[in-house]
Amino acid sequence: MDRLPGCSVRRLISFAEDCERYVKLKVMANGPALSTVGSDEIYVGSEFRDSLSLLDILYANQFEGESFHPKHLEQTEEKFYRGAPPEWLNFHLSEQAESDGTGRPFIKRDGYDTLVQQIDQRRKLPGTSTVKLFHQPGCGGTTLAMQVLWDLRKTFRCAALTGSTSNITDVAEEVVHLFTAGSRGHQNTVLLLLNDEQNLDDLQEKIMMKIAEQEIVTNMPVVIFLSCIRNDAVLHSDHVFLQEVLSESEKQKFNEKKEELSTKYGDKSKKFHGFNIMQTSFSQAYIQEACAVFKTIKRANKSQKTQLAAFLSLLNAYVPGSYLLESQCLDLFKCEDSIHGDLSLEDRMKPFSDLIITFQRDTRSEKRVCMAHPMIAKCCTEMMAEAGVTRSDTTRNLLTCLCSDEVPPSLLGFVKNMLTKRRPKPKECKIEESPFKNTESEEDKEKFSRLILDIQKMEDKAQCASVLKVATKQFDQNPFYPQALARFYYIEIKDYNKAIMWAKRAKERDPQNSFVADTLGQVYKNCLKNKEHPVKPRAILQLATKAIEAFKDEEELAEKEHGTDEEDARKIKIPCVFNIRGQIGYLQVCNLVYDLTKHASMSSGNKLLNDLISRDEVERKCAFLDKYLTYSKLDMKKDDPSYISKDIAECCRKYVRDEHFEEKVNDFIQKLKQILAETSAGVLLCLDREYTEAELKEVTTWWEEIFLHSSCKFLNAFGQKMPLTSKDAPELHMLALLLYWPTDSQDKCVFDLSQLIQCMRCSYDHAYKKYFRSRYLRPLFFIGKGQDLNRIVHRKVLEGLVLKQNKETIQDWSNEKIFKDPIVQALLLKIDGVVQNYKVYATVGGTATEVDANLRNSLWKPRQVSFYIGFTIRGPVAFCIQTETAEKVEVTEMDFSKHGQTKPELCAWLNTTRASGQHFVDRHQAALINRVSDTGFILGKLKDRGLISKENYNVVRALKTTKDQMSGILQCLTSASSRGKDALYEILKGMRSMRPLILELEETE
């Protein structure tokens, strides 16, 4: 190629520069952009940015066309390598340097490719899904997660959750808004970064609800969660896990980067502790050398900067991600201002400055201060302890110096975490349990926070109590510090009088909190338990009375906590789990009293039992907990602690008996009561427990004899009682559904299945909803193949079939592996159905009936499906939902038309929704308003179906013209989702006067 003249080259360069300036100006003028499916971008304005206060959006054109001062860029990079949290700008700088040939690419740890691959695989899944990244603190987990988002910002709509998850509804609303931004034709999957153990289950449910409310048709995943979880323990699973060790390839990358940083920054790079700790493969020798300045610290005459360094070290050692505000730090030096003038914090903190980082999350937030690395914080804390500056000294000083006046909310949370948060006990770790839901029981947790345990181990118990006393005094409204202090006194020091005093103090601070009230009952119970023998009956009576009163009070508080409506519950922050510890504690005290009275004389022991403990009360609590454990469990994967069922069974054997029944039937009932087989829940629990075959046969025999001695013809009486109402017990409703659910040879149910199910749900809401809130409802029975009662299959039968193969399979209902077993498949009946509008319907006898879904994530895509039907105490549930083939769909649709009994919901799915996702009513709104005349008939039908309230009915009826009335009807149905529109479509089709109009409108499509 011929060389161009010099002027031509200059013109080309000038033209290229003009083009670059034009592109930058255009990008800056259009504003930030979001990616779309076709790798295009749509621009959003400032209103969109301001509407997402809980999400930190990473835009597709982030920093493009922007210019920064070179000094700012250098400081940003320098702070990151020193140990500051990563910013999006760090990735931009590295990308620019690699593009310009002036620097090496950002170091990708070995888990990077796996994460990207897992995210790409999730793009094939509908709805919501999760990719997990586990990391030990200080191993670059957050950096790796942000790096993945940066590299995928033009493929997904990337964001990090920065706000509180206390209001899941707001978070879900912002996620859906980001997903649909621009228009419904420009939807794109959100890739959302979450830090730590944030509750994903509720968030996923709320996102689906928002999508359904807005009637959004999704042809792609709505959101993929990238969950970045800190974990100290070494874990083994298929998930990415970053540890305090580098692979050989990672060492090579870090060594190459070190050469680059040494060339660019010279001796400064020696203080890049965040980078250097990883580059040395987390060398303890390097950390010891970096922290050597702390070896000179003396306990006496500590300076302000030494105290601040100690505070930061303690916080970062025990609460990863914690920090102090720069203003808080500078307040410590107020007395020195007259001597040193207006010095920066960095200058004031010498010689500790190299170990401390000041950073800012964004321009709106205040500057934050922390140690350069968690391992440096731990090392500094240990060195100071060796020099005589103990953990307890530092904690007390932190509380008195930083928590005396108005305390920032961030520090309140860090201190509470440091002093009261109990970690799970160390065990063999497999990452199969969900890390997002806090379902650890008391027996799964450490007794106290990690800091309190370390003070106890390395100092003494008195120092632990002293620290918690100071916290109790400083935070004089907070109930959790005196609660922790009470627990320490009764568990470790065994000083029950002081434990009672602090437990009462905690209760005074939050008199309506049942979980706080529990501590007082636990103190009394443990005092009774540890009494030295022999114990006088009066002493037993006094302690047991106080314990029982405390647990009864706790039980009443728990009932009141969940007795308010949902709006009030959100305002006063009611716990999501119903507190049953009061009832368990009551039964445990009863067991203790029974055992202790054995040592007393027979007469005094029996009198004590009769005066103190009501057998009816024991029976009532046993029955409640029996139902609680039989009908529900902690979550899909985890059962309740085994001690609960053991304590219940023991209490029943001791108290639920009476030797004065004379009639044979009542004698049998008493035997059944002793093993909780009297009630329907008790019968189910007999099946759940590990009884021998002989014991189960004996229970069956007792029931047969009771039935033979009873003149009541139960089944006949039950049949006459049908149909049930919502006031009847949920157990009766479940029995009705099991008895009347059509067999595989029946065309339809003799009763309205939808009505039976709705009544059962109402009955459940009244009887159990507040108790089983947030818990997983166990499947109790399944519909099998066969006729009559032979087709009812108990869950234990299925579990017994696969027990020998894999015990985890029968405990974990989140993967539904049990239904992949050929033996189970041969036993259960497959039900045909349809998924539509994020709900699942069973098609029985040509009728579509809505049921619950075990896995809600199966409901994102409208389609024909098949599944197994199981029954919880709330009603029927679809398990193992599978898509049917096109051939099966075609046949099923013909069957529906033959029966002519298709429900409005199914009919709407087949007839009213087009590829555009718009409903028939929406597509022809103008024609309906102008041409529908008999609005009074339509209003009456909609009111009868409960789709228009009485108030709205009267308002619409009062409108003068039929056009206004029809417009009012459509407005009312907009808030009723597609169900209302489906009903309107069916009503119009059923009106002889409207059939010509409907046919005309359908033909236009």
Side-chain angles (χ1 to χ4, degrees):
M1 182 178 178
D2 295 335
R3 293 185 61 183
L4 293 169
C7 61
S8 298
V9 173
R10 284 193 296 273
R11 285 176 184 171
L12 283 172
I13 294 173
S14 177
F15 176 73
E17 290 174 346
D18 289 341
C19 287
E20 185 178 356
R21 278 195 295 271
Y22 172 75
V23 170
K24 288 182 178 179
L25 287 171
K26 184 179 179 182
V27 170
M28 295 172 69
N30 287 327
L34 298 172
S35 63
T36 61
V37 175
S39 299
D40 295 326
E41 295 177 0
I42 56 169
Y43 295 95
V44 291
S46 58
E47 290 184 5
F48 174 81
R49 284 182 291 178
D50 295 340
S51 67
L52 303 178
S53 60
L54 301 175
L55 303 181
D56 177 17
I57 309 298
L58 174 59
Y59 295 100
N61 62 343
Q62 191 96 356
F63 305 122
E64 292 178 12
E66 293 188 46
S67 58
F68 300 91
H69 194 284
K71 187 68 175 175
H72 173 67
L73 297 179
E74 183 178 319
Q75 288 177 347
T76 300
E77 185 176 52
E78 186 178 332
K79 281 187 176 181
F80 171 66
Y81 287 117
R82 284 187 59 214
E87 303 176 28
W88 298 124
L89 187 55
N90 289 118
F91 303 100
H92 173 69
L93 291 176
S94 179
E95 196 175 76
Q96 290 295 106
E98 183 183 5
S99 176
D100 298 340
T102 58
R104 294 184 178 277
F106 212 91
I107 297 174
K108 294 180 172 67
R109 290 208 63 179
D110 288 348
Y112 174 89
D113 291 333
T114 303
L115 285 176
V116 172
Q117 182 182 4
Q118 290 177 348
I119 291 170
D120 186 60
Q121 291 171 348
R122 300 305 192 276
R123 296 181 70 182
K124 303 170 186 176
L125 303 176
T128 64
S129 57
T130 304
V131 173
K132 302 173 188 177
L133 165 59
F134 292 84
H135 64 100
Q136 292 179 313
C139 292
T142 303
T143 303
L144 176 59
M146 290 179 67
Q147 187 176 6
V148 168
L149 261 67
W150 177 264
D151 291 345
L152 296 178
R153 70 191 185 281
K154 293 185 180 292
T155 304
F156 298 95
R157 294 184 178 173
C158 299
L161 181 59
T162 58
S164 169
T165 56
S166 59
N167 194 334
I168 295 291
T169 303
D170 289 346
V171 178
E173 196 166 326
E174 292 196 8
V175 170
V176 173
H177 188 30
L178 180 57
F179 171 71
T180 58
S183 70
R184 294 195 178 186
H186 290 107
Q187 297 171 353
N188 197 12
T189 301
V190 175
L191 180 58
L192 185 62
L193 172 60
L194 304 170
N195 278 306
D196 289 327
E197 300 178 288
Q198 292 160 322
N199 193 334
L200 277 180
D201 293 340
D202 291 341
L203 181 55
Q204 289 173 332
E205 181 70 19
K206 290 292 184 183
I207 288 172
M208 179 177 280
M209 287 175 60
K210 291 293 178 184
I211 291 286
E213 284 173 9
Q214 299 177 32
E215 298 184 5
I216 299 170
V217 178
T218 61
N219 298 313
M220 66 193 76
V222 175
V223 59
I224 299 172
F225 298 105
L226 176 54
S227 191
C228 189
I229 305 161
R230 291 189 183 96
N231 200 312
D232 288 321
V234 176
L235 305 173
H236 307 283
S237 82
D238 296 331
H239 301 292
V240 174
F241 178 53
L242 299 188
Q243 302 182 52
E244 295 173 354
V245 63
L246 297 181
S247 66
E248 291 303 317
S249 62
E250 288 174 328
K251 288 178 183 177
Q252 182 179 348
K253 294 175 186 177
F254 273 95
N255 290 336
E256 292 171 352
K257 193 69 176 181
K258 182 181 180 181
E259 292 180 10
E260 177 189 325
L261 295 177
S262 298
T263 302
K264 185 175 181 179
Y265 290 99
D267 288 342
K268 269 188 176 182
S269 65
K270 295 179 180 178
K271 305 299 182 182
F272 290 175
H273 297 307
F275 173 82
N276 292 339
I277 286 175
M278 295 185 70
Q279 187 269 328
T280 59
S281 197
F282 306 93
S283 166
Q284 285 296 326
Y286 176 88
I287 295 167
Q288 291 280 338
E289 184 180 349
C291 301
V293 64
F294 278 85
K295 292 181 180 179
T296 62
I297 291 175
K298 303 297 181 185
R299 180 172 185 178
N301 300 321
K302 296 191 297 293
S303 63
Q304 295 293 339
K305 59 187 176 185
T306 302
Q307 285 202 56
L308 179 55
F311 297 161
L312 289 168
S313 297
L314 187 78
L315 276 174
N316 291 160
Y318 288 96
V319 188
S322 58
Y323 55 84
L324 293 176
L325 298 179
E326 186 183 49
S327 58
Q328 286 178 282
C329 299
L330 290 172
D331 284 344
L332 291 175
F333 297 97
K334 281 184 178 179
C335 60
E336 299 180 2
D337 285 348
S338 58
I339 302 173
H340 299 291
D342 191 20
L343 291 177
S344 67
L345 181 63
E346 184 176 346
D347 291 333
R348 292 176 187 271
M349 287 302 294
K350 291 179 180 178
F352 307 113
S353 301
D354 295 333
L355 302 176
I356 293 171
I357 301 295
T358 302
F359 64 96
Q360 194 171 13
R361 199 184 77 180
D362 54 56
T363 55
R364 295 173 293 178
S365 60
E366 190 176 341
K367 289 185 177 179
R368 302 171 178 182
V369 185
C370 67
M371 299 300 286
H373 195 276
M375 295 178 75
I376 285 179
K378 291 177 183 178
C379 183
C380 293
T381 301
E382 290 169 3
M383 284 184 170
M384 284 187 289
E386 291 171 1
V389 184
T390 63
R391 289 169 173 79
S392 60
D393 282 339
T394 302
T395 306
R396 282 188 290 265
N397 289 336
L398 184 151
L399 291 169
T400 53
C401 293
L402 298 181
C403 303
S404 295
D405 300 320
E406 188 174 346
V407 185
S410 57
L411 183 57
L412 283 174
F414 297 147
V415 171
K416 181 175 179 289
N417 188 327
M418 184 171 67
L419 293 179
T420 66
K421 185 174 181 180
R422 297 156 58 193
R423 298 191 307 171
K425 290 179 181 177
K427 55 184 177 180
E428 184 65 28
C429 294
K430 294 181 180 179
I431 319 177
E432 297 302 329
E433 296 180 7
S434 171
F436 309 112
K437 198 162 186 178
N438 184 20
T439 55
E440 290 100 353
S441 62
E442 287 294 307
E443 64 180 13
D444 293 330
K445 297 177 184 177
E446 296 280 8
K447 292 180 181 178
F448 304 97
S449 74
R450 191 156 54 97
L451 174 59
I452 296 299
L453 291 173
D454 282 352
I455 293 174
Q456 181 182 0
K457 179 181 177 182
M458 299 171 190
E459 299 176 44
D460 56 47
K461 295 177 182 179
Q463 297 303 324
C464 297
S466 172
V467 164
L468 291 172
K469 283 179 184 176
V470 174
T472 299
K473 181 180 179 182
Q474 293 298 107
F475 303 104
D476 56 6
Q477 300 299 314
N478 190 303
F480 302 112
Y481 298 111
Q483 181 186 37
L485 185 55
R487 292 186 66 256
F488 194 84
Y489 267 115
Y490 89 75
I491 293 173
E492 297 297 333
I493 301 179
K494 307 298 183 186
D495 188 333
Y496 295 104
N497 290 330
K498 288 185 178 178
I500 291 168
M501 179 185 73
W502 291 114
K504 288 181 177 179
R505 184 80 55 87
K507 196 170 182 299
E508 288 168 3
R509 294 184 178 186
D510 194 352
Q512 302 305 316
N513 190 321
S514 67
F515 289 94
V516 172
D518 177 67
T519 305
L520 182 60
Q522 298 296 336
V523 175
Y524 285 127
K525 184 190 76 177
N526 278 271
C527 182
L528 182 65
K529 182 179 179 180
N530 293 309
K531 277 285 185 184
E532 294 183 4
H533 296 296
V535 188
K536 294 181 179 180
R538 183 176 295 276
I540 297 173
L541 178 64
Q542 290 175 344
L543 268 178
T545 300
K546 291 177 180 178
I548 284 176
E549 288 175 354
F551 285 127
K552 280 186 176 181
D553 178 58
E554 179 185 354
E555 182 182 351
E556 290 175 6
L557 290 175
E559 289 280 352
K560 290 177 183 177
E561 282 174 341
H562 293 267
T564 55
D565 59 34
E566 291 186 9
E567 188 64 31
D568 292 337
R570 281 195 293 269
K571 289 178 183 177
I572 60 179
K573 295 183 179 179
I574 287 175
C576 61
V577 179
F578 184 83
N579 181 10
I580 62 166
R581 290 178 61 78
Q583 301 187 59
I584 296 171
Y586 180 98
L587 297 183
Q588 290 172 334
V589 171
C590 291
N591 283 331
L592 285 172
V593 170
Y594 186 92
D595 294 337
L596 288 170
T597 53
K598 286 182 178 179
H599 301 281
S601 65
M602 182 64 69
S603 58
S604 61
N606 289 336
K607 186 177 186 305
L608 181 61
L609 285 176
N610 293 329
D611 291 345
L612 181 62
I613 296 170
S614 164
R615 296 173 188 270
D616 290 340
E617 184 80 2
V618 170
E619 186 174 345
R620 184 183 67 80
K621 294 186 192 307
C622 286
F624 169 80
L625 292 171
D626 174 21
K627 294 176 182 179
Y628 188 84
L629 297 176
T630 303
Y631 297 159
S632 69
K633 56 187 288 191
L634 277 173
D635 58 32
M636 276 190 173
K637 299 182 178 183
K638 195 170 184 180
D639 290 331
D640 291 277
S642 58
Y643 75 84
I644 300 178
S645 57
K646 290 179 181 177
D647 288 343
I648 297 170
E650 184 181 348
C651 206
C652 275
R653 282 193 296 269
K654 291 173 179 176
Y655 289 94
V656 185
R657 56 182 175 80
D658 195 323
E659 300 169 358
H660 301 290
F661 284 95
E662 297 179 357
E663 294 184 7
K664 188 174 182 181
V665 173
N666 290 337
D667 184 42
F668 285 126
I669 289 176
Q670 278 306 111
K671 293 179 183 178
L672 290 172
K673 277 185 178 181
Q674 291 178 28
I675 59 168
L676 294 176
E678 181 205 24
T679 62
S680 54
V683 175
L684 294 174
L685 187 62
C686 283
L687 296 172
D688 273 348
R689 285 181 179 168
E690 300 299 327
Y691 287 112
T692 65
E693 186 176 351
E695 287 174 325
L696 286 175
K697 283 183 178 179
E698 190 176 4
V699 171
T700 306
T701 302
W702 288 341
W703 269 103
E704 288 174 351
E705 292 196 42
I706 290 171
F707 184 78
L708 290 173
H709 283 80
S710 174
S711 60
C712 174
K713 304 298 182 181
F714 172 76
L715 290 177
N716 290 336
F718 185 78
Q720 294 173 6
K721 189 176 177 63
M722 292 294 294
L724 301 173
T725 70
S726 58
K727 294 181 180 179
D728 291 305
E731 291 82 359
L732 288 176
H733 285 278
M734 181 169 63
L735 178 59
L737 282 169
L738 287 170
L739 290 175
Y740 294 108
W741 191 277
T743 62
D744 51 352
S745 63
Q746 288 177 308
D747 286 338
K748 60 181 180 179
C749 180
V750 294
F751 296 102
D752 185 336
L753 272 182
S754 296
Q755 186 67 30
L756 291 179
I757 293 169
Q758 186 58 37
C759 280
M760 183 172 182
R761 288 173 180 169
C762 291
S763 176
Y764 166 84
D765 289 347
H766 176 73
Y768 298 127
K769 183 179 179 180
K770 71 176 180 180
Y771 303 116
F772 302 157
R773 185 178 181 176
S774 82
R775 288 172 62 84
Y776 176 68
L777 297 182
R778 295 175 182 266
L780 302 171
F781 296 99
F782 290 88
I783 296 294
K785 298 172 182 176
Q787 302 296 318
D788 302 324
L789 297 179
N790 292 328
R791 70 212 169 95
I792 300 174
V793 181
H794 189 265
R795 183 190 72 250
K796 275 289 181 179
V797 175
L798 302 186
E799 292 175 346
L801 294 174
V802 298
L803 179 60
K804 297 178 181 178
Q805 302 171 33
N806 188 350
K807 190 173 182 180
E808 291 182 3
T809 297
I810 66 175
Q811 288 182 325
D812 186 357
W813 291 91
S814 66
N815 53 32
E816 299 185 334
K817 285 183 180 178
I818 194 169
F819 301 105
K820 296 176 183 178
D821 189 288
I823 303 176
V824 172
Q825 292 174 354
L827 186 64
L828 299 182
L829 177 67
K830 267 283 181 100
I831 305 291
D832 290 328
V834 61
V835 171
Q836 180 254 332
N837 196 30
Y838 310 102
K839 297 176 182 177
V840 61
Y841 299 86
T843 53
V844 182
T847 301
T849 302
E850 183 184 348
V851 297
D852 289 331
N854 183 53
L855 300 182
R856 298 275 300 163
N857 224 26
S858 305
L859 305 183
W860 286 96
K861 186 178 178 181
R863 65 202 191 280
Q864 282 281 351
V865 295
S866 64
F867 47 82
Y868 301 109
I869 283 285
F871 290 86
T872 70
I873 196 59
R874 186 177 181 270
V877 177
F879 288 84
C880 193
I881 298 174
Q882 294 182 328
T883 303
E884 287 300 321
T885 61
E887 293 81 2
K888 181 63 178 283
V889 172
E890 192 173 329
V891 170
T892 306
E893 288 178 9
M894 287 193 299
D895 288 343
F896 284 137
S897 61
K898 179 183 70 177
H899 286 291
Q901 296 176 342
T902 309
K903 282 257 178 175
E905 293 88 344
L906 183 59
C907 196
W909 182 76
L910 296 174
N911 300 323
T912 66
T913 304
R914 295 293 178 260
S916 64
Q918 236 184 349
H919 198 280
F920 176 90
V921 171
D922 295 324
R923 295 195 300 274
H924 303 291
Q925 190 176 96
L928 295 175
I929 290 172
N930 291 322
R931 299 174 63 181
V932 172
S933 56
D934 194 357
T935 51
F937 176 79
I938 296 170
L939 270 171
K941 287 289 185 181
L942 292 173
K943 181 187 173 188
D944 292 341
R945 297 189 185 190
L947 295 171
I948 288 184
S949 66
K950 185 177 180 181
E951 182 182 1
N952 285 341
Y953 174 85
N954 292 331
V955 170
V956 175
R957 285 286 289 177
L959 297 174
K960 293 182 179 179
T961 67
T962 56
K963 288 184 179 181
D964 289 341
Q965 288 182 356
M966 194 63 203
S967 178
I969 290 171
L970 294 176
Q971 288 181 20
C972 291
L973 294 184
T974 299
S975 61
S977 73
S978 65
R979 180 167 168 257
K981 296 173 187 177
D982 294 343
L984 176 59
Y985 174 78
E986 287 302 309
I987 292 168
L988 290 170
K989 283 195 72 174
M991 296 170 64
R992 182 175 299 177
S993 61
M994 290 292 103
R995 286 175 191 168
L997 172 61
I998 299 302
L999 287 173
E1000 176 189 332
L1001 296 178
E1002 288 178 340
E1003 286 174 1
T1004 62
E1005 302 182 337

